[in-house]
Amino acid sequence: MRVATVFSQPVLPVSAPLTSSPNPIQEHFRFGFRNRRLRFKVSASKKPLPELQNPKPDGVEKSFVEEKEGESADFGWLPAFPHALIASMSNFLFGYHIGVMNGPIVSVARELGFEGDPILEGLVVSIFIAGAFIGSINSGFLVDKLGCRRTFQFDSIPLILGALVSAQAHSLDEILWGRFLVGLGIGVNTVLVPIYISEVAPTKYRGSLGSLCQIGTCLGIITSLSLGIPSEIDPHWWRTILYIASVPAFILSIGMQFAVDSPRWLCKVGRLDDAKAVILSLWGPSEVERSIEEFQLVIKNDGADVSSRWSELLEEPHSRVAFIGGSLFILQQFAGINGVLYFSSLTFKDVGITSGALASLFGGLANFSGSLSASYLMEKEGRQKLLIASYLGMAVSMFLVACAINFPIDEDLSHNLSIIGVLMYILAFAIGAGPVTGIIIPELSSAKMRGKIMGFSFSVHWVCNFLVGLFFLDMVEIFGVAPVYTGFGSVSLLAAVFANYFIIETKGRTLEEIEMSINANLAGRDKQ
C-alpha cells in the first residue's frame, strides 16, 4: 500500500537501538522539518541496527528458508502472502468499480431514462466518490474497535448490497443508492488494506507484499473493462457485470474468516497469546519475544488506549505524518493520473486504435507491468528512491506528450510519441507514485493513530480525485491538452522534490523502530 530481522536470528533486546543516539531515520525526520537547507543521502537500509548485524547462533533452526549449493531460496514471505492476497481482494473490487461504469454508462442512462443528460451521467459515476469519502473518514474508528479482519467482514455488507441494488436498479434513485453503498465500502477498504498488510507482513517483505494493493487495483480495472466489452452489443449486459461485482465481496468476507488479525492490534487489546500465535505462524519463532517486547514498549508510550481521537492529529508527531500523507495524495492526484487515463483513449484514436476498450487495455497492461516491477523494487531500492524516480519519469512523459503536440515535426511521429509518453507515464506511476504512497503512510504512522491518519489521508485523496474528474475536461477545453499535460508534469516535478525533502526511508525497519525513532527525535528536540 519492509530488510528486517531474518527469521532465524536470536531474540535480542530492543531498548538500545530505540533510545540511543540518533539513527538515520531520526536525522532525516528532524532536519527535514527544522532546517530546510540540508539535504540528506542517508538511507535507513544502509545502516541497519546493531542487532541485525549479529551472526546467527549455532543450533538455531532456520525458518522458511531453504539452502542449496551455497545459495538460499528465501520463502519468508510465503506464510503472510495468503492473508495479504485475501486483503488485496478489496483493491480488486476498487479497480473493478472504477472501470465497471466506463463502457455501460450509456446503456444504463438509456434504460433508466436519463440518456443525454451529462450531469446525471456524471452523478452516477461520481457518487461513488462521495461514498468513498465518508467511508474513509469513518474507517479509523472501525479499525480501532474491531480490528482489520472484522472490519473487512463488516464492510463487505455495503459492497454486496451496493452491487445487488445497482444490478437490480429500475430508477435513477436506485442506481445512485447502489453506487453510494459501493463507494462507502470501497472508502473503508482502501484505508484498511495498507494498514493490514503493513501490520501482518514480515518487515523484510512489507514493501513487496504492500504492492499487492496496486496489483489488485490493476487486475480489477482490467477485469471490469474486459467484461464490459459485450455491453457494446447487449444493452442489458450492465446488470450482469454489476451482479458479478458482488462475487469478490463474498470471497473477501469468507476469506477473512480464515485470515489472521493484526498481531499489533491483538497486543493492543490485550490478547497476547493470540498475538504470539500469529507472529509464530507468519514471522517465525525467533521473532515472537522480540516483537511482543517492541509492541508493548510502543503501547506503553502511546498510553495503552485502543481508541484515538481526531484532535490528536493536531499533536506532534501525528500532525507531521498527516501532513505528509495528505500532501502525497494531493500531489499524486494533481499529477494527473486520472485525467491521463481518461484522455488516453482519445490519444490512441489518433493512431488508429478506435476501440476504447482496447486503448484502456493497453493502459491497464502498462499499469500492471509497473505494479509487478514495484513488488520487486520496493525492497531493493527503497520507498524514497522509487517515489522520486517515479515522479521524475511521470514528468518526463508528460513533457514528451506536450512537446509532441506543440511541435509536430511529422504527424505520425507526433502521434507515436504521444502514445509512448502516455504509456511511459502510466508505467512510471505504477512503479512508485501508486504503490509507495499507500504503503509509506502507515509505515510512518504511530500504532495508536494509524487508522485516523490513513482515514484523513485517503479522504484528501477522494476530494482531489473528485476535483480532477470534475474540472479536467473544462481545463482541456479552455487551455488545450498540451498546457494541461505540462501542468501535470510540473506537479510531478514538485512531487519528486517533496519526496526527496520530506520522505524518510523506512525499508528494513519494523513499524515500532520507525515510531520510536520519530518519538525519540521529537523528545530530544523538545529538550533543546
Side-chain angles (χ1 to χ4, degrees), residues 144-161:
D144 289 342
K145 293 296 183 184
L146 304 177
C148 287
R149 188 168 73 95
R150 292 303 179 196
T151 304
F152 273 120
Q153 293 182 309
F154 176 77
D155 190 51
S156 65
I157 296 173
L159 289 170
I160 294 170
L161 287 179

PDB file of all heavy atoms in Angstrom, residues 144-161:
ATOM      1  N   ASP A 144     -10.000   0.715  15.006  1.00  0.00           N
ATOM      2  CA  ASP A 144      -9.648   0.754  16.429  1.00  0.00           C
ATOM      3  C   ASP A 144     -10.527  -0.186  17.246  1.00  0.00           C
ATOM      4  O   ASP A 144     -10.049  -0.854  18.166  1.00  0.00           O
ATOM      5  CB  ASP A 144      -9.777   2.183  16.969  1.00  0.00           C
ATOM      6  CG  ASP A 144      -8.689   3.104  16.453  1.00  0.00           C
ATOM      7  OD1 ASP A 144      -7.663   2.594  15.960  1.00  0.00           O
ATOM      8  OD2 ASP A 144      -8.859   4.335  16.534  1.00  0.00           O
ATOM      9  N   LYS A 145     -11.809  -0.235  16.927  1.00  0.00           N
ATOM     10  CA  LYS A 145     -12.752  -1.015  17.721  1.00  0.00           C
ATOM     11  C   LYS A 145     -12.781  -2.491  17.346  1.00  0.00           C
ATOM     12  O   LYS A 145     -12.841  -3.358  18.215  1.00  0.00           O
ATOM     13  CB  LYS A 145     -14.164  -0.433  17.570  1.00  0.00           C
ATOM     14  CG  LYS A 145     -14.342   0.955  18.170  1.00  0.00           C
ATOM     15  CD  LYS A 145     -14.141   0.929  19.678  1.00  0.00           C
ATOM     16  CE  LYS A 145     -14.387   2.306  20.289  1.00  0.00           C
ATOM     17  NZ  LYS A 145     -14.100   2.311  21.754  1.00  0.00           N
ATOM     18  N   LEU A 146     -12.777  -2.786  16.058  1.00  0.00           N
ATOM     19  CA  LEU A 146     -12.994  -4.154  15.591  1.00  0.00           C
ATOM     20  C   LEU A 146     -11.731  -4.861  15.128  1.00  0.00           C
ATOM     21  O   LEU A 146     -11.715  -6.089  15.007  1.00  0.00           O
ATOM     22  CB  LEU A 146     -14.018  -4.162  14.440  1.00  0.00           C
ATOM     23  CG  LEU A 146     -15.380  -3.530  14.720  1.00  0.00           C
ATOM     24  CD1 LEU A 146     -16.232  -3.566  13.454  1.00  0.00           C
ATOM     25  CD2 LEU A 146     -16.091  -4.259  15.857  1.00  0.00           C
ATOM     26  N   GLY A 147     -10.701  -4.123  14.823  1.00  0.00           N
ATOM     27  CA  GLY A 147      -9.536  -4.719  14.180  1.00  0.00           C
ATOM     28  C   GLY A 147      -9.790  -4.842  12.685  1.00  0.00           C
ATOM     29  O   GLY A 147     -10.926  -4.761  12.211  1.00  0.00           O
ATOM     30  N   CYS A 148      -8.735  -5.048  11.925  1.00  0.00           N
ATOM     31  CA  CYS A 148      -8.862  -5.062  10.465  1.00  0.00           C
ATOM     32  C   CYS A 148      -9.715  -6.226   9.969  1.00  0.00           C
ATOM     33  O   CYS A 148     -10.557  -6.066   9.076  1.00  0.00           O
ATOM     34  CB  CYS A 148      -7.476  -5.136   9.823  1.00  0.00           C
ATOM     35  SG  CYS A 148      -6.531  -3.594   9.927  1.00  0.00           S
ATOM     36  N   ARG A 149      -9.523  -7.399  10.542  1.00  0.00           N
ATOM     37  CA  ARG A 149     -10.185  -8.589  10.000  1.00  0.00           C
ATOM     38  C   ARG A 149     -11.702  -8.467  10.093  1.00  0.00           C
ATOM     39  O   ARG A 149     -12.422  -8.712   9.109  1.00  0.00           O
ATOM     40  CB  ARG A 149      -9.702  -9.841  10.732  1.00  0.00           C
ATOM     41  CG  ARG A 149     -10.186 -11.141  10.116  1.00  0.00           C
ATOM     42  CD  ARG A 149      -9.434 -12.313  10.710  1.00  0.00           C
ATOM     43  NE  ARG A 149      -9.852 -12.580  12.077  1.00  0.00           N
ATOM     44  CZ  ARG A 149     -10.793 -13.480  12.410  1.00  0.00           C
ATOM     45  NH1 ARG A 149     -11.396 -14.166  11.459  1.00  0.00           N
ATOM     46  NH2 ARG A 149     -11.109 -13.681  13.662  1.00  0.00           N
ATOM     47  N   ARG A 150     -12.218  -8.123  11.263  1.00  0.00           N
ATOM     48  CA  ARG A 150     -13.667  -7.990  11.422  1.00  0.00           C
ATOM     49  C   ARG A 150     -14.210  -6.792  10.648  1.00  0.00           C
ATOM     50  O   ARG A 150     -15.341  -6.822  10.157  1.00  0.00           O
ATOM     51  CB  ARG A 150     -14.028  -7.857  12.901  1.00  0.00           C
ATOM     52  CG  ARG A 150     -13.781  -9.123  13.715  1.00  0.00           C
ATOM     53  CD  ARG A 150     -14.529 -10.307  13.150  1.00  0.00           C
ATOM     54  NE  ARG A 150     -14.287 -11.527  13.917  1.00  0.00           N
ATOM     55  CZ  ARG A 150     -14.564 -12.741  13.483  1.00  0.00           C
ATOM     56  NH1 ARG A 150     -15.072 -12.912  12.271  1.00  0.00           N
ATOM     57  NH2 ARG A 150     -14.329 -13.801  14.236  1.00  0.00           N
ATOM     58  N   THR A 151     -13.402  -5.748  10.526  1.00  0.00           N
ATOM     59  CA  THR A 151     -13.849  -4.589   9.751  1.00  0.00           C
ATOM     60  C   THR A 151     -13.982  -4.953   8.280  1.00  0.00           C
ATOM     61  O   THR A 151     -14.928  -4.514   7.600  1.00  0.00           O
ATOM     62  CB  THR A 151     -12.871  -3.413   9.920  1.00  0.00           C
ATOM     63  OG1 THR A 151     -12.721  -3.114  11.304  1.00  0.00           O
ATOM     64  CG2 THR A 151     -13.387  -2.166   9.208  1.00  0.00           C
ATOM     65  N   PHE A 152     -13.060  -5.754   7.751  1.00  0.00           N
ATOM     66  CA  PHE A 152     -13.198  -6.245   6.377  1.00  0.00           C
ATOM     67  C   PHE A 152     -14.531  -6.971   6.197  1.00  0.00           C
ATOM     68  O   PHE A 152     -15.248  -6.758   5.209  1.00  0.00           O
ATOM     69  CB  PHE A 152     -12.064  -7.218   6.049  1.00  0.00           C
ATOM     70  CG  PHE A 152     -10.812  -6.568   5.529  1.00  0.00           C
ATOM     71  CD1 PHE A 152      -9.611  -6.717   6.202  1.00  0.00           C
ATOM     72  CD2 PHE A 152     -10.831  -5.826   4.360  1.00  0.00           C
ATOM     73  CE1 PHE A 152      -8.448  -6.136   5.719  1.00  0.00           C
ATOM     74  CE2 PHE A 152      -9.668  -5.234   3.870  1.00  0.00           C
ATOM     75  CZ  PHE A 152      -8.478  -5.391   4.562  1.00  0.00           C
ATOM     76  N   GLN A 153     -14.869  -7.838   7.135  1.00  0.00           N
ATOM     77  CA  GLN A 153     -16.103  -8.609   7.019  1.00  0.00           C
ATOM     78  C   GLN A 153     -17.326  -7.714   7.157  1.00  0.00           C
ATOM     79  O   GLN A 153     -18.302  -7.865   6.409  1.00  0.00           O
ATOM     80  CB  GLN A 153     -16.117  -9.714   8.074  1.00  0.00           C
ATOM     81  CG  GLN A 153     -15.063 -10.783   7.837  1.00  0.00           C
ATOM     82  CD  GLN A 153     -15.118 -11.894   8.856  1.00  0.00           C
ATOM     83  OE1 GLN A 153     -15.125 -11.646  10.065  1.00  0.00           O
ATOM     84  NE2 GLN A 153     -15.153 -13.131   8.388  1.00  0.00           N
ATOM     85  N   PHE A 154     -17.299  -6.809   8.117  1.00  0.00           N
ATOM     86  CA  PHE A 154     -18.411  -5.872   8.291  1.00  0.00           C
ATOM     87  C   PHE A 154     -18.583  -5.003   7.051  1.00  0.00           C
ATOM     88  O   PHE A 154     -19.705  -4.721   6.613  1.00  0.00           O
ATOM     89  CB  PHE A 154     -18.144  -5.000   9.517  1.00  0.00           C
ATOM     90  CG  PHE A 154     -19.176  -3.937   9.753  1.00  0.00           C
ATOM     91  CD1 PHE A 154     -20.405  -4.251  10.300  1.00  0.00           C
ATOM     92  CD2 PHE A 154     -18.903  -2.609   9.436  1.00  0.00           C
ATOM     93  CE1 PHE A 154     -21.363  -3.264  10.516  1.00  0.00           C
ATOM     94  CE2 PHE A 154     -19.849  -1.620   9.650  1.00  0.00           C
ATOM     95  CZ  PHE A 154     -21.086  -1.945  10.192  1.00  0.00           C
ATOM     96  N   ASP A 155     -17.462  -4.609   6.468  1.00  0.00           N
ATOM     97  CA  ASP A 155     -17.506  -3.711   5.319  1.00  0.00           C
ATOM     98  C   ASP A 155     -17.964  -4.407   4.035  1.00  0.00           C
ATOM     99  O   ASP A 155     -18.323  -3.743   3.065  1.00  0.00           O
ATOM    100  CB  ASP A 155     -16.117  -3.098   5.103  1.00  0.00           C
ATOM    101  CG  ASP A 155     -16.122  -1.987   4.091  1.00  0.00           C
ATOM    102  OD1 ASP A 155     -16.944  -1.072   4.229  1.00  0.00           O
ATOM    103  OD2 ASP A 155     -15.317  -2.050   3.147  1.00  0.00           O
ATOM    104  N   SER A 156     -17.936  -5.729   4.022  1.00  0.00           N
ATOM    105  CA  SER A 156     -18.419  -6.439   2.831  1.00  0.00           C
ATOM    106  C   SER A 156     -19.933  -6.289   2.656  1.00  0.00           C
ATOM    107  O   SER A 156     -20.452  -6.496   1.555  1.00  0.00           O
ATOM    108  CB  SER A 156     -18.051  -7.924   2.914  1.00  0.00           C
ATOM    109  OG  SER A 156     -18.718  -8.553   3.994  1.00  0.00           O
ATOM    110  N   ILE A 157     -20.636  -5.903   3.724  1.00  0.00           N
ATOM    111  CA  ILE A 157     -22.104  -5.750   3.641  1.00  0.00           C
ATOM    112  C   ILE A 157     -22.496  -4.664   2.640  1.00  0.00           C
ATOM    113  O   ILE A 157     -23.273  -4.920   1.717  1.00  0.00           O
ATOM    114  CB  ILE A 157     -22.699  -5.471   5.034  1.00  0.00           C
ATOM    115  CG1 ILE A 157     -22.470  -6.675   5.950  1.00  0.00           C
ATOM    116  CG2 ILE A 157     -24.195  -5.153   4.933  1.00  0.00           C
ATOM    117  CD1 ILE A 157     -22.884  -6.436   7.399  1.00  0.00           C
ATOM    118  N   PRO A 158     -21.988  -3.404   2.779  1.00  0.00           N
ATOM    119  CA  PRO A 158     -22.352  -2.401   1.762  1.00  0.00           C
ATOM    120  C   PRO A 158     -21.827  -2.739   0.379  1.00  0.00           C
ATOM    121  O   PRO A 158     -22.450  -2.372  -0.623  1.00  0.00           O
ATOM    122  CB  PRO A 158     -21.741  -1.099   2.296  1.00  0.00           C
ATOM    123  CG  PRO A 158     -20.671  -1.524   3.242  1.00  0.00           C
ATOM    124  CD  PRO A 158     -21.168  -2.796   3.851  1.00  0.00           C
ATOM    125  N   LEU A 159     -20.704  -3.444   0.288  1.00  0.00           N
ATOM    126  CA  LEU A 159     -20.177  -3.821  -1.028  1.00  0.00           C
ATOM    127  C   LEU A 159     -21.108  -4.803  -1.738  1.00  0.00           C
ATOM    128  O   LEU A 159     -21.387  -4.652  -2.936  1.00  0.00           O
ATOM    129  CB  LEU A 159     -18.787  -4.444  -0.871  1.00  0.00           C
ATOM    130  CG  LEU A 159     -17.650  -3.488  -0.487  1.00  0.00           C
ATOM    131  CD1 LEU A 159     -16.401  -4.272  -0.126  1.00  0.00           C
ATOM    132  CD2 LEU A 159     -17.357  -2.518  -1.621  1.00  0.00           C
ATOM    133  N   ILE A 160     -21.613  -5.786  -1.003  1.00  0.00           N
ATOM    134  CA  ILE A 160     -22.524  -6.767  -1.600  1.00  0.00           C
ATOM    135  C   ILE A 160     -23.880  -6.133  -1.893  1.00  0.00           C
ATOM    136  O   ILE A 160     -24.422  -6.268  -2.995  1.00  0.00           O
ATOM    137  CB  ILE A 160     -22.680  -7.981  -0.666  1.00  0.00           C
ATOM    138  CG1 ILE A 160     -21.345  -8.732  -0.544  1.00  0.00           C
ATOM    139  CG2 ILE A 160     -23.770  -8.920  -1.179  1.00  0.00           C
ATOM    140  CD1 ILE A 160     -21.338  -9.802   0.535  1.00  0.00           C
ATOM    141  N   LEU A 161     -24.427  -5.429  -0.900  1.00  0.00           N
ATOM    142  CA  LEU A 161     -25.730  -4.788  -1.097  1.00  0.00           C
ATOM    143  C   LEU A 161     -25.683  -3.761  -2.226  1.00  0.00           C
ATOM    144  O   LEU A 161     -26.603  -3.680  -3.049  1.00  0.00           O
ATOM    145  CB  LEU A 161     -26.181  -4.110   0.201  1.00  0.00           C
ATOM    146  CG  LEU A 161     -26.651  -5.021   1.338  1.00  0.00           C
ATOM    147  CD1 LEU A 161     -27.026  -4.183   2.559  1.00  0.00           C
ATOM    148  CD2 LEU A 161     -27.842  -5.859   0.883  1.00  0.00           C
TER     149      LEU A 161
END
